[in-house]
């Protein structure tokens, strides 16, 4: 018969043993077993919404107070209020609001964290990525993947503002952050303007002589709003869509049909007039930006009202559902997540709410 009584193990003896272990950088798993192997995740991040009415004046104020000499990037970080000790918007992803004032250039550099930009206000901005000068128009998605040189310039008379998304928390966790400034302020433009669009922008046709099959990220650096909006409008009247996300489409790497970058997937979703979704949760957290429309999401039982240009986050494994408040206008949400990472590690799980709604 197995016995679980050990007559020698008096409290004093055990304490002495545990104390001894500390001196050798050892500790008993049996005392923290339930912390190490929880039945399911409880995110350290909280649901949170940053409203455009609070964001815009503060971005403009940063533009008045801080010059490009003082800021490698003039970014207001959207810091999750429940994550205290690191730079993070959800557990694994970072988001920030970047502003470039008229005539300015945010100098060229590269880093191993990958970035995306979703353009909010722009009337003459460019991001140059590895020598390809890419126009920035409102609603465009622009990629600056892992270790690509990039600088941002504003040749218009008005401030340019966009939402940044980066995998900084994830790459920090993996201790794989590298950063390098370009030797000049701005990199030379080495190919005709917006070359990645010229080559890959159709999506179903690509230059046959270029082998980009070994690249881990999309060879297309710009996903123009015009095409995104046209695709949503074409599809929305024809389909039921997802019960959890409405008419959601993923931005794809045209070579693979997969996510745009190995660490970040980007989506856009239309909630049709009056549409409301069922609640679900998944292991990935999500950062949303309201492109247009008014509505609310219920996240972990809390109602979050949103309107144009607001940004909100849903932590991983947290139930959420979306409602378009208008019976006349569609609502459109852009979002980004770390699903490619979870999927490739067999850690992506999704669960519908048992009652459909919270
Ligand atoms: O534009 O390269 O939000 O380097 C944070 C770090 C943006 C950028 C951010 C960056 C950038």
């Amino acid at each position: 018969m197995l016995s679980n009584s050990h007559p020698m193990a008096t409290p004093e003896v055990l304490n002495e043993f545990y104390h001894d272990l500390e001196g050798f950088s050892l500790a008993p798993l049996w005392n923290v077993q339930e912390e190490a192997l929880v039945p399911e995740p409880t995110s350290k991040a909280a649901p949170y919404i940053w409203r455009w009415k609070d964001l815009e004046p503060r971005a403009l104020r940063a533009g008045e107070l801080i010059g490009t000499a003082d800021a490698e990037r003039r970014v207001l970080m959207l810091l999750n209020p429940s994550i205290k000790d690191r730079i993070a918007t959800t557990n694994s992803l970072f988001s920030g609001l970047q502003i470039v004032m008229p005539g300015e250039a945010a100098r060229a550099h590269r880093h191993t964290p990958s970035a995306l930009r979703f353009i909010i206000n722009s009337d003459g901005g460019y991001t140059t990525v590895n020598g390809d000068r890419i126009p920035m128009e409102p609603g465009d998605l622009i990629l600056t993947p892992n270790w690509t040189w990039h600088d941002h310039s504003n040749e218009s008379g008005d401030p340019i503002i966009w939402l940044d998304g980066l995998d900084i928390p994830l790459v920090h966790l993996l201790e794989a952050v590298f950063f390098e400034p370009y030797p000049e302020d701005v990199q030379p433009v080495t190919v005709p303007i917006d070359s990645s669009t010229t080559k890959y922008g159709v999506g179903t046709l690509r230059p046959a002589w270029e082998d980009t099959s070994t690249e881990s990220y999309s060879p297309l650096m710009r996903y123009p709003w015009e095409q995104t909006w046209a695709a949503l409008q074409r599809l929305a009247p024809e389909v039921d869509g997802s019960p959890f996300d409405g008419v959601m489409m993923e931005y794809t790497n045209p070579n693979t049909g997969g996510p745009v970058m190995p660490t970040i997937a980007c989506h856009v979703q239309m909630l049709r007039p009056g549409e409301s979704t069922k609640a679900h949760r998944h292991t990935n957290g999500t950062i949303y930006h309201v492109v247009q429309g008014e509505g609310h999401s219920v996240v972990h039982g809390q109602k979050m009202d949103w309107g144009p240009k607001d940004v909100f986050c849903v932590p991983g494994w947290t139930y959420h559902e979306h409602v378009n408040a208008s019976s006349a206008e569609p609502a459109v949400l852009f979002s980004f997540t770390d699903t490619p990472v979870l999927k490739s590690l067999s850690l992506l799980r999704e669960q519908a709410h048992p009652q459909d709604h919270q």
Side-chain angles (χ1 to χ4, degrees):
M1 197 181 104
L2 288 173
S3 159
N4 53 14
S5 65
H6 295 274
M8 278 168 56
T10 61
E12 295 74 34
V13 169
L14 279 179
N15 275 340
E16 198 179 314
F17 176 54
Y18 295 154
H19 186 72
D20 165 78
L21 289 176
E22 275 174 34
F24 295 87
S25 287
L26 293 168
L29 174 64
W30 56 89
N31 287 344
V32 294
Q33 172 81 27
E34 285 161 20
E35 264 171 73
L37 293 167
V38 295
E40 60 177 31
T42 308
S43 182
K44 288 204 175 65
Y48 195 76
I49 183 160
W50 292 266
R51 296 181 198 284
W52 184 247
K53 71 169 173 54
D54 303 325
L55 290 170
E56 187 182 29
R58 288 168 179 84
L60 293 171
R61 186 77 175 132
E64 288 169 3
L65 296 177
I66 303 293
T68 46
D70 307 314
E72 177 84 18
R73 290 295 185 260
R74 194 193 286 108
V75 172
L76 295 180
M77 302 186 288
L78 308 185
L79 293 183
N80 192 284
S82 295
I83 299 178
K84 299 294 179 203
D85 49 346
R86 56 204 179 89
I87 292 170
T89 308
T90 61
N91 181 50
S92 59
L93 295 176
F94 163 84
S95 193
L97 199 69
Q98 183 160 171
I99 179 164
V100 180
M101 299 301 280
E104 279 182 357
R107 62 185 161 243
H109 68 205
R110 63 179 175 178
H111 35 72
T112 50
S114 292
L116 63 89
R117 336 269 164 199
F118 191 87
I119 314 308
I120 301 175
N121 290 352
S122 172
D123 185 23
Y126 293 89
T127 284
T128 305
V129 185
N130 281 351
D132 185 2
R133 189 178 153 126
I134 300 166
M136 302 171 116
E137 308 273 350
D140 290 357
L141 169 66
I142 291 173
L143 308 181
T144 57
N146 182 343
W147 214 234
T148 53
W149 293 112
H150 54 282
D151 50 81
H152 316 292
S153 34
N154 180 354
E155 296 183 353
S156 77
D158 295 311
I160 290 175
I161 302 181
W162 65 80
L163 188 73
D164 278 323
L166 291 95
D167 51 14
I168 289 175
L170 176 70
V171 183
H172 260 293
L173 172 74
L174 299 172
E175 297 185 337
V177 175
F178 292 84
F179 171 90
E180 191 181 357
Y182 194 76
E184 321 281 332
D185 275 354
V186 171
Q187 65 183 301
V189 176
T190 56
V191 293
I193 285 193
D194 207 11
S195 278
S196 85
T197 299
T198 310
K199 289 178 174 170
Y200 293 96
V202 173
T204 48
L205 288 167
R206 65 179 183 86
W209 66 90
E210 289 218 343
D211 178 16
T212 54
S213 61
T214 55
E215 272 177 13
S216 63
Y217 50 77
S218 169
L220 181 60
M221 295 297 142
R222 176 177 183 226
Y223 297 75
W225 177 247
E226 206 180 15
Q227 277 181 20
T228 306
W229 179 235
L232 286 173
Q233 280 188 308
R234 208 162 44 225
L235 189 59
E238 306 290 335
V239 295
D240 291 340
S242 153
F244 307 108
D245 287 304
V247 184
M248 179 181 254
M249 299 184 89
E250 179 172 4
Y251 295 84
T252 59
N253 173 338
N255 278 327
T256 63
V260 292
M261 297 187 283
T263 49
I264 307 180
C266 295
H267 292 83
V268 65
Q269 71 199 89
M270 181 190 282
L271 303 168
R272 288 159 289 197
E275 185 164 3
S276 58
T277 68
K278 293 180 180 176
H280 73 159
R281 60 183 179 178
H282 31 64
T283 42
N284 62 284
T286 309
I287 296 164
Y288 293 90
H289 166 69
V290 183
V291 186
Q292 62 182 69
E294 310 260 353
H296 69 264
S297 300
V298 182
V299 183
H300 195 56
Q302 282 171 253
K303 186 174 177 220
M304 256 187 208
D305 286 305
W306 41 252
K309 304 184 181 182
D310 291 349
V311 182
F312 63 97
C313 65
V314 174
W317 209 239
T318 303
Y319 283 119
H320 56 283
E321 59 198 276
H322 308 295
V323 177
N324 178 355
S326 168
S327 55
E329 297 298 326
V332 179
L333 305 175
F334 167 79
S335 62
F336 61 99
T337 70
D338 64 345
T339 47
V341 179
L342 291 161
K343 200 180 264 181
S344 66
L345 301 174
S346 302
L347 296 171
L348 187 60
R349 287 200 191 199
E350 182 190 2
Q351 188 177 44
H353 192 283
Q355 275 89 47
D356 287 347
H357 297 284
Q358 299 164 79

